[in-house]
Amino acid sequence: DRFVAFDLACPNEIDPNVRVNVDSFPEAICPQCGAVFDIGYGYGYPISGDCRYPMKQYNVFVANYNVHVSN
């Protein structure tokens, strides 16, 4: 009943250009550090690897059939 969006930058990497891949939903995988994140429930928590931080999350809401993203 709610929508979220995630920043594709891996929270474990210093380089903001390292992007996680969503090849098999509900998991996002960092190609650099190998961290795996669960995005299926809308939280982005790490489920394996050395990362201790969740992915940056943005709230999404629909208004007048337009999608808006907020921090």
Side-chain angles (χ1 to χ4, degrees):
D1 63 337
R2 72 183 184 105
F3 296 96
V4 295
F6 294 103
D7 194 313
L8 291 178
C10 178
N12 200 43
E13 296 296 321
I14 293 174
D15 184 353
N17 295 315
V18 174
R19 303 286 188 219
V20 299
N21 298 319
V22 184
D23 293 332
S24 60
F25 185 82
E27 295 179 349
I29 302 168
C30 176
Q32 188 72 25
C33 70
V36 179
F37 302 90
D38 180 2
I39 58 173
Y41 292 105
Y43 297 108
Y45 292 138
I47 55 176
S48 69
D50 292 331
C51 188
R52 293 177 278 175
Y53 306 102
M55 295 175 67
K56 172 127 175 86
Q57 182 184 56
Y58 300 93
N59 293 318
V60 177
F61 61 95
V62 178
N64 300 326
Y65 302 104
N66 295 313
V67 176
H68 301 274
V69 177
S70 65
N71 290 346

